[in-house]
Amino acid sequence: ETGVTQSPTHLIKTRGQQVTLRCSSQSGHNTVSWYQQALGQGPQFIFQYYREEENGRGNFPPRFSGLQFPNYSSELNVNALELDDSALYLCASSLVGNYGYTFGSGTRLTVV
Amino acid sequence: DQQVKQNSPSLSVQEGRISILNCDYTNSMFDYFLWYKKYPAEGPTFLISISSIKDKNEDGRFTVFLNKSAKHLSLHIVPSQPGDSAVYFCAASAEGSSNTGKLIFGQGTTLQVKP
């Protein structure tokens, strides 16, 4: 049973640029959620995808968007990067209706 | 508005003793609570959970207690082991059966277990 894998592990971008982060779900899981974890804080829910559609969204602006693919992998896209977007981005997969989330190790994004 | 709070940023305990990590919440609609453990350079891993219809759940060395009237939950680790040293996050959900994946996390407590 493979876990959740995220790529890349680290990324440096310039303010105003766009970034795409990738996530492969754990085998057998059909939902993907994305979280942002700022330094010294707990993860904050960005959104969840199920059946290739957004299934729930946290308090993040529209420049945060995502995709889920038929193989349940997912992308997180962030446009017009701001310095405050610097954080660890975590992907978590689960079976719909199940709280058994499996998290990936995250992508550390630095915006300069 | 911090709906889930872990007021102790850090905790240090001697090996073999009990570790008690605390969490307070403000939203009375939360109906499911979880504890996650996080090692450096790894994602959070699920530890134990409790439904709001229960006041205690036990799994080996880990026990979670829920006091709904006080809006407080705690994680007890007995006996504590050096390998338990990690950041512990409390998380809550108000999703009921809909489960859109939205967990509200606390800020985390760093536990250090000394040999």
Side-chain angles (χ1 to χ4, degrees):
Chain A
E1 180 181 87
T2 57
V4 174
T5 57
Q6 293 187 240
S7 63
T9 54
H10 295 83
L11 201 53
I12 300 175
K13 288 286 189 178
T14 302
R15 188 172 49 183
Q17 285 187 317
Q18 179 266 344
V19 69
T20 297
L21 311 182
R22 294 178 174 82
C23 171
S24 293
S25 304
Q26 177 168 313
S27 176
H29 286 180
N30 54 14
T31 77
V32 176
S33 302
W34 285 91
Y35 286 80
Q36 179 196 68
Q37 186 181 6
L39 203 60
Q41 301 296 317
Q44 284 195 57
F45 177 72
I46 303 175
F47 43 56
Q48 183 192 59
Y49 275 79
Y50 171 59
R51 290 184 174 174
E52 302 175 44
E53 291 189 358
E54 190 178 289
N55 187 40
R57 189 176 184 95
N59 189 25
F60 281 81
R63 58 189 185 84
F64 286 78
S65 63
L67 287 171
Q68 185 187 31
F69 300 100
N71 65 355
Y72 306 119
S73 64
S74 176
E75 287 182 356
L76 165 65
N77 298 289
V78 187
N79 293 322
L81 282 167
E82 301 176 359
L83 297 179
D84 285 349
D85 295 333
S86 296
L88 179 68
Y89 288 85
L90 295 163
C91 170
S93 70
S94 72
L95 279 172
V96 68
N98 191 314
Y99 284 104
Y101 300 108
T102 300
F103 281 83
S105 299
T107 294
R108 172 72 62 185
L109 172 65
T110 302
V111 182
V112 297
Chain B
D1 177 27
Q2 191 75 29
Q3 297 187 65
V4 178
K5 296 182 182 180
Q6 294 176 256
N7 292 317
S8 297
S10 63
L11 175 68
S12 183
V13 172
Q14 207 65 35
E15 181 179 6
R17 304 297 290 269
I18 184 171
S19 294
I20 300 176
L21 295 97
N22 294 302
C23 179
D24 297 298
Y25 62 95
T26 58
N27 189 342
S28 58
M29 297 299 292
F30 287 146
D31 57 5
Y32 202 80
F33 302 88
L34 307 91
W35 284 93
Y36 282 84
K37 179 170 70 173
K38 188 178 185 301
Y39 293 118
E42 295 183 13
T45 55
F46 171 74
L47 202 54
I48 193 169
S49 63
I50 188 167
S51 165
S52 60
I53 63 173
K54 296 186 176 181
D55 54 18
K56 177 183 175 180
N57 188 26
E58 190 172 353
D59 184 2
R61 296 186 298 115
F62 303 92
T63 303
V64 57
F65 295 93
L66 175 62
N67 183 334
K68 288 187 291 294
S69 61
K71 294 190 175 65
H72 177 84
L73 65 156
S74 61
L75 173 68
H76 293 209
I77 306 174
V78 183
S80 301
Q81 301 173 353
D84 296 330
S85 298
V87 179
Y88 288 78
F89 290 100
C90 167
S93 173
E95 297 291 287
S97 59
S98 61
N99 191 8
T100 62
K102 184 175 182 178
L103 294 178
I104 310 298
F105 282 84
Q107 310 96 306
T109 296
T110 300
L111 173 65
Q112 182 185 28
V113 181
K114 298 180 178 179

